[in-house]
Amino acid sequence: MAETVGSTTCSALVIGGSAGSLDVLLEIFPVLRNDIHFPIIIVVHRKASNESLLTDLLKSRTTLAVGEAEEKEFLMPGKVFIAPADYHTLIEEDRSISLDYSEKINYSRPSIDVTFQSAAEVFKEKLVCILLSGSNADGVEGLKSVNNYGGKVVIQNPNTAIMPYMPQQAVINVKPHVILDGHDMADYINNLND
Amino acid sequence: MISDVIDNEQVEILLNDVLESHGYDFLEYSHASIKRRIIRLYGLDNFVSFAEFRYTVRTDKQYFKRFLEEITVNVTEMFRDPSFYKSLRNDVLPVLGTYPFIRIWVAGCSTGEEAYSLAIVLKELNLLHKSLIYATDINPSVLEKAKKGMFPLTYLKQYSENYLQSGGLKDFSTYYTANYSLAKFDESLNRKMIFSTHNLASDHSFNEFQLILCRNVLIYFDKELQHKVFNLFDGSIEKLGYLALGSKESLEFWPKAKEYKRIKMEKIWRKL
């Protein structure tokens, strides 16, 4: 019995996005419940120089704790971790964060694939990954891993994405658990808490 | 990249082999990163089974060279984080300039971009003639590249922007000559460099320095190894010397951190 309950529970949520994803994030954050009991990791492509801009923006829209992911920091429930610009963010078996300055993947650092893949191995069927708007194919390989490990794949409806290419590629190549319009994302995330 | 072709247990087996057969200890590296590097290499080199991969890594000396170069991260940049170099230029090196002789250790120097950046700043402060830069890495093949001081020309635009932002005084192009697709840096810069292999996970202190630069190396180590390396650095820095880390690295959780004072907003600490 306990196992059945466990398998439907979310232990971590990772949201990946590129061009056009900020609008969705800014819509999601103000309505997130303040008692979220899983960590949220955000991986958004951006220029290396815009250091804390994204963190500050998201911080201003929620009462949840928001911070840039620091290396060796442990994922905490109810906290939002922003993958820092110009590093890949990986999740370790002990649920701590590793940063990595290796080659760009899909011309991107942070790469969404890298975080999705490493989180998939750690959280397996208790992971939920959401892929938002973007104009390259980063995230698709990562979502395949999430599927392989039994996690949930959520893709933004390309028709509602400012840049449809990234979610489109995902829909073509990965079997999603659900496809959602941008403005339905917040409800979906809040319901993961139940 | 298929992420589950090699599992955690196989990573452990492979790293134990590497330690036993070649004497390199990667067991205290951050697991997720090293595993990703291993799977990447496995895919790049088209191995068909873990057994074949394991056998090759264990027995083929030539292949092991490649293994070593590929599972360590060798991505680096000149004047990476310009504000860091600005602080070196304005706050740290002028203090060291009061010494008769300056010894600097660039630990984990990879292909040398940071050592050359440092040499340029020293030169502009008129300190290079009395400085010696020890540049070390675990990996002999990247040191060969570092000695040559030749970097892909395509990156030079970015490096030149970094250099100017860091407070550089000259036209950056006066430091190199373009040679086909490579920029060859002035030999007056590497005349003051000594390149040598050094493994932070297993080798000891080899000198005393006034400045140690070790940037974006410790992020690949687990906490225990990080603390071991901090102790090694502590034993290699003179009193009032400096330790410089990467932009996401910190001394914070190391027990002896209180014996160091942080300089401004940068990841630079001074030994008290």
Side-chain angles (χ1 to χ4, degrees), chain A residues 51 68 71-72 84 86-87 90-93 98-103 105 114 117 121 145 149, chain B residues 1 3-4 8 30-33 35-37 40 73 75 77 80 216 219-222 226 247-248:
Chain A
E51 272 298 354
E68 194 170 87
E71 71 115 16
K72 304 288 182 289
D86 215 21
Y87 286 83
L90 297 96
I91 313 301
E92 298 282 346
E93 212 54 61
S98 281
L99 300 179
D100 175 321
Y101 185 61
S102 58
E103 298 80 359
I105 308 280
V114 170
Q117 276 168 349
E121 283 183 49
S145 293
Y149 281 96
Chain B
M1 187 168 84
S3 63
D4 40 11
N8 293 340
S30 295
H31 188 86
S33 265
K35 182 179 181 186
R36 205 172 78 78
R37 302 299 291 173
R40 171 181 167 272
V73 173
V75 179
E77 232 178 73
R80 169 155 201 223
N216 292 309
I219 47 174
Y220 303 110
F221 298 170
D222 72 16
Q226 285 183 348
S247 64
K248 303 296 169 197

Side-chain angles (χ1 to χ4, degrees), chain B residues 7-167:
Chain B
D7 64 26
N8 293 340
E9 205 180 315
Q10 289 168 325
V11 169
E12 194 89 13
I13 291 170
L14 193 73
L15 296 182
N16 273 305
D17 280 358
V18 166
L19 178 58
E20 262 175 46
S21 310
H22 304 285
Y24 287 93
D25 188 352
F26 290 106
L27 291 162
E28 292 178 293
Y29 275 52
S30 295
H31 188 86
S33 265
I34 195 106
K35 182 179 181 186
R36 205 172 78 78
R37 302 299 291 173
I38 288 170
I39 291 170
R40 171 181 167 272
L41 183 61
Y42 180 90
L44 274 178
D45 292 349
N46 301 311
F47 284 98
V48 290
S49 72
F50 175 71
E52 183 202 9
F53 185 44
R54 181 184 177 191
Y55 181 78
T56 310
V57 170
R58 205 166 44 176
T59 59
D60 184 339
K61 281 217 169 80
Q62 206 54 43
Y63 186 76
F64 182 72
K65 264 190 189 169
R66 171 167 170 78
F67 179 87
L68 194 60
E69 189 170 351
E70 291 298 328
I71 68 160
T72 52
V73 173
N74 289 301
V75 179
T76 177
E77 232 178 73
M78 290 189 82
F79 293 95
R80 169 155 201 223
D81 307 321
S83 67
F84 167 80
Y85 278 94
K86 190 171 239 172
S87 185
L88 273 190
R89 179 187 288 270
N90 296 333
D91 307 322
V92 175
L93 296 177
V95 177
L96 298 186
T98 62
Y99 291 68
F101 192 71
I102 307 169
R103 277 186 312 275
I104 299 171
W105 179 15
V106 182
C109 70
S110 186
T111 39
E113 282 81 341
E114 298 226 296
Y116 284 85
S117 307
L118 193 57
I120 287 170
V121 182
L122 286 165
K123 191 167 187 177
E124 292 183 6
L125 296 174
N126 206 14
L127 298 172
L128 187 60
H129 65 281
K130 60 169 181 173
S131 304
L132 206 47
I133 300 171
Y134 292 76
T136 67
D137 200 276
I138 184 175
N139 197 332
S141 43
V142 293
L143 290 171
E144 284 308 313
K145 291 180 191 163
K147 272 179 209 167
K148 292 190 179 125
M150 299 207 279
F151 306 121
L153 208 50
T154 44
Y155 300 144
L156 266 290
K157 188 172 167 281
Q158 178 66 49
Y159 294 171
S160 166
E161 280 168 23
N162 290 353
Y163 164 79
L164 289 174
Q165 277 179 41
S166 78

Side-chain angles (χ1 to χ4, degrees), chain A residues 52-128:
Chain A
S52 63
L53 190 67
L54 179 67
T55 308
D56 294 343
L57 262 177
L58 294 179
K59 205 180 257 176
S60 68
R61 309 284 166 120
T62 175
T63 53
L64 294 171
V66 179
E68 194 170 87
E70 290 185 33
E71 71 115 16
K72 304 288 182 289
E73 182 182 16
F74 283 97
L75 294 176
M76 299 295 284
K79 187 172 174 192
V80 182
F81 298 82
I82 314 285
D86 215 21
Y87 286 83
H88 297 306
T89 296
L90 297 96
I91 313 301
E92 298 282 346
E93 212 54 61
D94 67 359
R95 308 193 169 188
S96 67
I97 292 165
S98 281
L99 300 179
D100 175 321
Y101 185 61
S102 58
E103 298 80 359
K104 292 182 179 179
I105 308 280
N106 306 311
Y107 310 100
S108 311
R109 192 171 49 219
S111 148
I112 301 165
D113 276 345
V114 170
T115 308
F116 278 179
Q117 276 168 349
S118 77
E121 283 183 49
V122 172
F123 293 105
K124 303 192 172 72
E125 73 281 357
K126 293 184 179 175
L127 176 71
V128 180

